Amino acid sequence: MRIFSGIQPTGRKHLGNYIGAIRQYVEGQTRGESIYCVVDLHATTVPYEPATLRKLLYDTTAILLAAGVDPDKCILFRQSDVPQHSELCWLLCSVTSHGELTRMHQFKDKSAKQKDALISAGLFLYPVLMAADILLYKTDEVPVGDDQRQHVELTRNIAERFNERFGETLVVPKHRIPEVGARIMDLQSPEQKMSTSSTNENGTVYVLEEPKAILKKVKSAVTDSGTEIKIADDKPGISNLLEIMAAIQGKKPADVEKDFAGQRYGDLKVAVAEAVVQYLAPVRERYNELRPDEKRIEEALATGAAKARAIAQRTLEEVWDKMGVGAPRMTRT
Ligand code: TYM
């Protein structure tokens, strides 16, 4: 069974990324052949600073390593080190419709946020590059948070369409979205998902944040009117805190709700704040040890890229042959 996932080296990684995705990467290493990619090419689709992109890539890679992604147990690499991703992206454009790309929520949200800035063609094609990432490795399973559901669906459509048009070649992957913690919400606006682009810094807890700051943010999370600690549509703030606690404790949210029956909102906030601090502290400590050694991070990524390229090239050549592009196979060296 092959597992593939990607993560952007943009901004600082937050509790949503950690619970929804990163911890699944770690768990995947014991279940199948795992391949994880830090997607720097995707990061160029919105305005960004070239001078900081490499730094952010090291930050994100070091967070993955600190979380327990182990280059001896998986393939961990940087997307741009494997040029087959960009090439397959182009080839898959021929089986992707313009209409379905215009319907992508992420494209709509991100293009709306660009205001006066350029809305790049890269932002529009983003999901095709993501499909290429996944399909190059004949992936069975894609661990992601809930916000990537539509992109994985599109990937499935692209694979099916390719196979129908050119013959059985690509594996149609399934998403793996966790039952608990697939959509961690913003602490200040709990009707929105937690994200790095939130307008209020206090709504997002970062993986590398100081314990004091985490305590403050969680304790000042927006709760709802009423007093009962209960999962309910009209209690998004309380429901989110229960979800976070459940994810950390490996329980069902309904069981955490029972644990807090009869207690006050303040009690729940303090308990969740302390749980989050304890949960992230070891990651932050390991990160601080690992991050300064950029040479070692670079070596780990290079080893991963060499392994990834070998797999990616095999798939790409199959695609060339099916599509009738490139030199015929027998003439290739
Ligand atoms: P990115 O870098 O935005 O997010 C990384 C992962 O974190 C998950 N996530 C969340 N989970 C729970 N609650 C939240 N509030 C939350 N916010 C983010 C995301 O679902 C994701 O799994 N397009 C991808 C990167 C990508 C990719 C791929 C993923 C590129 N190629 C191939 C899978 C396979 C993205 O933007 O992730």
Side-chain angles (χ1 to χ4, degrees):
M1 214 250 316
R2 197 171 270 163
I3 299 170
F4 179 96
S5 199
I7 186 162
Q8 292 212 56
T10 39
R12 292 176 285 163
K13 291 295 146 186
H14 54 71
L15 185 65
N17 298 131
Y18 196 85
I19 289 177
I22 298 174
R23 68 178 199 168
Q24 293 202 78
Y25 305 166
V26 178
E27 183 262 345
Q29 296 178 127
T30 54
R31 285 191 308 110
E33 189 190 350
S34 299
I35 307 182
Y36 303 122
C37 175
V38 188
V39 296
D40 56 346
L41 298 177
H42 276 109
T44 65
T45 60
V46 288
Y48 76 101
E49 266 314 315
T52 52
L53 181 56
R54 291 199 177 106
K55 178 191 161 301
L56 293 172
L57 187 126
Y58 289 145
D59 293 350
T60 303
T61 308
I63 290 180
L64 296 183
L65 295 170
V69 171
D70 180 349
D72 291 330
K73 296 190 189 140
C74 71
I75 299 177
L76 173 65
F77 71 103
R78 166 173 43 213
Q79 189 183 34
S80 58
D81 284 342
V82 182
Q84 287 84 351
H85 289 240
S86 318
E87 183 167 348
L88 185 62
C89 170
W90 178 253
L91 296 170
L92 294 177
C93 282
S94 68
V95 285
T96 309
S97 80
H98 178 272
E100 58 196 346
L101 291 179
T102 59
R103 288 192 291 276
M104 293 291 115
H105 305 309
Q106 190 169 302
F107 173 69
K108 288 193 222 168
D109 295 348
K110 286 199 178 176
S111 52
K113 279 192 191 137
Q114 297 313 312
K115 296 195 178 94
D116 298 332
L118 178 94
I119 298 170
S120 71
L123 192 59
F124 187 66
L125 291 175
Y126 181 113
V128 194
L129 181 58
M130 179 163 160
D133 297 340
I134 297 168
L135 299 176
L136 261 183
Y137 299 95
K138 306 243 170 131
T139 302
D140 299 296
E141 211 177 84
V142 188
V144 281
D146 185 65
D147 62 341
Q148 296 301 313
R149 186 185 291 270
Q150 196 188 25
H151 283 162
V152 180
E153 268 313 307
L154 175 71
T155 302
R156 291 170 58 84
N157 292 343
I158 290 175
E160 280 167 1
R161 208 172 291 141
F162 185 97
N163 290 344
E164 269 166 38
R165 167 81 177 80
F166 297 110
E168 212 51 43
T169 314
L170 301 171
V171 172
V172 182
K174 289 195 176 67
H175 61 63
R176 186 179 170 95
I177 295 176
E179 264 172 50
V180 179
R183 196 172 186 83
I184 300 296
M185 308 308 277
D186 188 287
L187 297 176
Q188 290 299 316
S189 317
E191 58 296 329
Q192 288 169 20
K193 67 169 184 178
M194 186 176 283
S195 92
T196 6
S197 54
S198 170
T199 40
N200 186 343
E201 269 273 301
N202 293 327
T204 306
V205 170
Y206 296 102
V207 175
L208 302 176
E209 208 153 11
E210 296 285 333
K212 246 170 87 183
I214 298 181
L215 286 174
K216 194 162 160 242
K217 283 184 180 178
V218 182
K219 284 186 191 167
S220 54
V222 165
T223 42
D224 324 281
S225 56
T227 52
E228 204 187 345
I229 296 181
K230 203 172 90 184
I231 304 159
D233 288 345
D234 63 347
K235 286 179 174 278
I238 291 296
S239 303
N240 189 37
L241 292 174
L242 290 169
E243 181 93 9
I244 293 172
M245 193 65 157
I248 291 177
Q249 295 184 329
K251 290 183 178 172
K252 293 202 173 88
D255 291 332
V256 180
E257 183 190 270
K258 279 187 207 131
D259 295 343
F260 282 91
Q263 299 197 42
R264 286 169 307 192
Y265 282 180
D267 302 325
L268 175 66
K269 288 199 218 180
V270 171
V272 175
E274 284 168 0
V276 173
V277 166
Q278 276 195 13
Y279 185 57
L280 295 178
V283 186
R284 189 165 142 267
E285 279 163 28
R286 278 198 296 273
Y287 174 90
N288 288 336
E289 285 164 27
L290 293 164
R291 177 63 182 83
D293 197 347
E294 292 185 354
K295 193 163 162 269
R296 212 170 126 211
I297 298 176
E298 219 21 273
E299 279 164 10
L301 291 171
T303 308
K307 292 183 196 158
R309 273 195 298 269
I311 304 171
Q313 185 60 19
R314 278 202 297 278
T315 308
L316 186 62
E317 292 195 17
E318 277 181 60
V319 167
W320 287 346
D321 290 342
K322 294 285 173 61
M323 293 185 74
V325 302
R329 188 170 280 265
M330 54 274 208
T331 64
R332 275 179 227 146
T333 45

